[in-house]
Each structure stands twice: as structure tokens, then as C-alpha cells.
Amino acid sequence: MMKENITGQNRNQFSHQLKSEPESTSKSITYRSDKIHAETIIVGGGVIGCAIAYELASRGQDVLLVERSAIAGGTSCAAAGMLAADSEDFAHPLMAKLARQSRQLLHEQQVLMATLSGLEVGLQRQGFLTPFRSYSEVSSYKNNRNSALPADEVWWDRYTVQQEASWLNRETYGAYYRPCESEILPVHLTKAYAASAQAMGALVMEGIQDIRVRANEHGVQGITTSIGEMTCKHVIIAAGLQSEELMRHVNLSLPVWSVKGEIAAVQFSAEHAGYRPDRTVYAEDIYIVPKANGEVWLGATSLPGRTDLNVSVQSVQKLLTAATYWVPGMKEARFLRAWAGVRPATPDGLPYIGACESVPGLFAAFGHYRNGILLSAITGRLMAELLEGNSSEELGIEELSPERLNRKGVVQ
């Protein structure tokens, strides 16, 4: 009876998004009386968990993904969807390297995902602009960057800015144009990962409450949930802010900090279409992202320690003021809505990606802070490589080891 309920629920969740439903979305999952068993269980239906499910399913592995609410219902639905591998200033060289690899990989994946899922992720590849008000701002920017400026970026002087981006403030001193940057619709991407994973045989279950990790002296055994016990060989925790609590079930301390961010959306009418940006503005005080659905997203505030999803008038005013400075025609746009999300950050700024050595079979993939969308593709690829027997040292990601902070004495 449980098998019928689960697969029926599973098919209904995505049938409206698929061009055609696969004959069996759970062909690699086995059922034992009152238990569900899969080779690998992923906990978390955000973009990271869904990207991992997609990568594992593409390699023919048994995959079960469980999500306590809905796919893309958490932090992933509150992201701006920028693949800002060059514009983002990464303090760690490894992060800059992974970001560029992930952007390229996602560009490649989205073609197959569109076929498998019937969903378009809204990928736009017009590049990003980082504008400046003065020469001193440019100098300060270059001097304070942690990561090197990309080799393919182009400097636009005032004249070029006016010619190529007439919608930008005419007082703009100049801007860096980064042609390789791109952006997507984050909810579409997350759901495309999940639906594509299903099409390749993975099982996706939403609304699964009371998830706890089970382990003994031999390692991970599976999870217990509101609908029963699920057994497996591997458990991957990719549940964002909830991951810290899940790790405590097996006496591991992998802290994450909450950082709230707010975003607003506006839309230009046909009458004012000439004022609408045709590429992303990635300024020091604001990002302005024209989306494939016709909207323009403005973000984002950064409020450490906040976990509420309220949007304040002050925050919206701040976003609109900054956006209108860089794009004066923004004042003619129609305000649509504003929303908030809470992003998971780690004490040292690096995500937890890898095997938990003290609990065999347990893996972590969370703490991506503001770069979860950007790093989703490479995180999925790395986790698949780890499960196939490659070590963190072989993959060059030792610095992302989940238990690194314990070894350094940062947490006890």
C-alpha cells in the first residue's frame, strides 16, 4: 500500500511539468514490507539536493530525495539566480575555480534538462556590467578585490557605456563588462533538476516530516521519517539551514549561520521598454537582474542572524533608491512584489562538501550562502564523484571537508 501511495504522490507532483511521464519514476528503488530502500538518500529539495539527485540519476544510481515541504520551497525560491562566477569576489581561490566550472557545467546541463523535464530554466547569457561613479571607485574596487579580474572582461568608458547601455545613468564614469556571466530563474532550475532526475529513475518525495539520520558503530543506516523508516548505504545532507540539526542526530557539529536577504521585482510596460536593462547590473550597492519572464529583480539586503521572512519598507526603499540611481528609467517601472529568504553561511565562508569521516556513509553538501544556485552543478558533480570512490584529495576539495572546523578547533 505504501508503494502505491508514494509513487502516486510522486507522479502527481511533477506530471504537469513533464512533456511525458516516464513509465516508472522509481524503477531503481526497492521496497521491503514497511521500509523503503535506496542506495543513496538525499535530504533536502533545494537546488543543491536536486542537482545532486540529477547527477546521480544520470549515472544510473539508486536515488531517493526527501524534502520536508516542497521542491524549491526554501532558500532556492528566494535567490536572484545569478551565475556570477566572475563578478562575485571570492576570498578563496578554490571557490572562484569551482564557480567557473559550475557555470559552464550548468550551461551544458540545461539543454538536456529541458528535454527531460519539459522545463526551461530561463538561462540568459547577455553578460554583467559592474558600473562606477568615478575613477577613485574603480581604483578602490581593483585594490580591494580578493580574486583576480577575469581575463575576458572588457572596460567600457563613459562613451561606450552610453552607446552600449543607454538605459544606464549617463553620469556613469565607466563599467566592467563580463561577457561570460549569465543568470537563470532559480525555482525553474531547481524543479528542472528534480523532474529530470525523476525522468532518469530517481524518486522524489515531498512533505516528509520528522526526518532523523540513523547511524550505528558501522556507519549510517538510513533515516526515520513521519511515514516510516528508510534504509540506504549513503545519506547526503543538503537541507540548508536545517542541516545543522540533522547532523546533531549523529553527534556532529557543522554550524551554519542565517543571513536574511530581501529582493524586489518590478516590470516595465511596453511604453517604457527602452528604459529596461538588457543585461544584469552587478554594482557594489545593488544588483539589477532582467529575467526571462519579463520581470526585473532587485537585490539584495544582507541581515545576519535574521530568520524571519518579513520584508521591511526600509529595505524596499533602499533597493529601489539604489536601482533608480543606476537605471533612472526604473522610476517608470511598475512595482510587483518583494520577498525574503534566509541563506546558510558557515563560520569560515566555505560550504561543507564531502564525506563525514567519523560516520561512514554520511555526506554533507550545504552552507553555500549566497552562491547555492551558482555552485549547484559542480556540487552535484563532486558528490557523485565522491560516491563513486574518489577522495576529496583527488578532487582537490580537501578544504571543503565537513569536519574541518572540528579539526581546527573552531567548534567542539
Side-chain angles (χ1 to χ4, degrees):
M1 185 65 179
M2 178 178 288
K3 178 178 179 180
E4 293 177 358
N5 288 341
I6 291 172
T7 55
Q9 174 189 14
N10 183 48
R11 288 170 177 164
N12 289 337
Q13 286 162 355
F14 288 102
S15 60
H16 66 288
Q17 297 167 347
L18 295 171
K19 289 181 177 177
S20 60
E21 184 182 330
E23 292 183 3
S24 172
T25 56
S26 57
K27 61 185 179 183
S28 60
I29 307 297
T30 59
Y31 299 84
R32 307 174 187 168
S33 61
D34 63 337
K35 294 181 181 179
I36 303 172
H37 178 79
E39 185 79 3
T40 300
I41 294 177
I42 302 166
V43 181
V47 71
I48 298 298
C50 292
I52 297 170
Y54 170 83
E55 187 68 37
L56 292 178
S58 72
R59 299 175 184 222
Q61 297 192 26
D62 295 354
V63 185
L64 165 60
L65 184 148
V66 295
E67 162 58 38
R68 67 173 188 164
S69 56
I71 296 299
T75 303
S76 297
C77 74
M82 294 184 297
L83 306 181
D86 296 324
S87 300
E88 185 76 5
D89 187 18
F90 293 100
H92 200 290
L94 174 60
M95 295 300 290
K97 175 183 176 181
L98 292 178
R100 293 187 176 100
Q101 291 177 346
S102 194
R103 181 182 62 192
Q104 179 60 38
L105 181 56
L106 202 154
H107 288 174
E108 297 167 1
Q109 290 176 336
Q110 58 94 27
V111 178
L112 177 58
M113 285 196 293
T115 300
L116 289 171
S117 69
L119 292 172
E120 295 292 340
V121 301
L123 177 66
Q124 298 203 106
R125 304 177 65 172
Q126 283 83 11
F128 289 11
L129 281 176
T130 295
F132 301 94
R133 297 175 177 85
S134 64
Y135 172 78
S136 61
E137 276 195 2
V138 180
S139 297
S140 177
Y141 175 80
K142 291 193 293 186
N143 292 336
N144 294 328
R145 268 186 72 93
N146 293 298
S147 52
L149 296 173
D152 57 1
E153 75 176 4
V154 180
W155 171 253
W156 286 1
D157 59 18
R158 186 190 302 270
Y159 174 78
T160 306
V161 166
Q162 293 179 4
Q163 294 296 310
E164 299 292 336
S166 59
W167 40 266
L168 204 61
N169 189 323
R170 296 188 67 82
E171 298 301 315
T172 301
Y173 172 79
Y176 282 119
Y177 172 55
R178 301 187 173 106
C180 292
E181 301 283 58
S182 58
E183 49 92 3
I184 51 87
L185 292 166
V187 171
H188 288 62
L189 173 65
T190 306
K191 291 185 175 181
Y193 270 135
S196 297
Q198 279 190 298
M200 293 185 290
L203 177 61
V204 175
M205 300 171 62
E206 298 175 85
I208 306 300
Q209 302 292 318
D210 305 323
I211 300 171
R212 292 185 64 87
V213 181
R214 292 176 51 251
N216 60 22
E217 66 273 16
H218 302 295
V220 74
Q221 302 297 301
I223 62 175
T224 59
T225 75
S226 56
I227 65 168
E229 186 177 309
M230 304 178 185
T231 61
C232 62
K233 182 178 179 181
H234 310 118
V235 170
I236 301 174
I237 303 299
L241 288 168
Q242 287 73 49
S243 299
E244 181 177 5
E245 179 183 354
L246 291 166
M247 286 295 181
R248 289 200 195 104
H249 299 163
V250 290
N251 299 314
L252 287 180
S253 178
L254 274 67
V256 289
W257 298 339
S258 59
V259 183
K260 176 182 171 181
E262 297 149 301
I263 302 177
V266 302
Q267 192 167 41
F268 288 81
S269 66
E271 179 185 359
H272 299 110
Y275 297 144
R276 185 181 188 272
D278 60 6
R279 64 199 75 198
T280 294
V281 175
Y282 195 101
E284 182 179 1
D285 55 348
I286 187 78
Y287 53 72
I288 304 168
V289 192
K291 309 302 289 187
N293 62 5
E295 299 176 355
V296 178
W297 292 2
L298 317 174
T301 59
S302 182
L303 303 169
R306 292 279 295 276
T307 59
D308 65 278
L309 297 180
N310 300 318
V311 179
S312 71
V313 171
Q314 182 180 20
S315 294
V316 173
Q317 183 180 40
K318 177 182 177 182
L319 293 173
L320 294 177
T321 299
T324 303
Y325 172 82
W326 289 114
V327 183
M330 191 71 65
K331 62 182 180 292
E332 303 294 344
R334 177 168 61 95
F335 181 83
L336 295 178
R337 66 189 183 282
W339 65 98
V342 182
R343 299 161 293 195
T346 65
D348 63 358
L350 299 175
Y352 301 119
I353 301 177
C356 298
E357 298 172 5
S358 58
V359 183
L362 182 62
F363 295 79
F366 61 93
H368 293 70
Y369 182 36
R370 55 187 279 168
N371 293 300
I373 302 296
L374 170 59
L375 295 172
S376 60
I378 195 64
T379 300
R381 178 64 54 87
L382 290 170
M383 294 306 298
E385 293 290 334
L386 287 166
L387 263 64
E388 289 183 348
N390 294 283
S391 68
S392 293
E393 291 76 13
E394 290 170 329
L395 297 174
I397 57 169
E398 313 97 294
E399 291 157 297
L400 307 183
S401 169
E403 296 176 85
R404 64 183 182 272
L405 300 181
N406 299 77
R407 291 196 294 268
K408 295 176 182 178
V410 177
V411 295
Q412 299 295 331

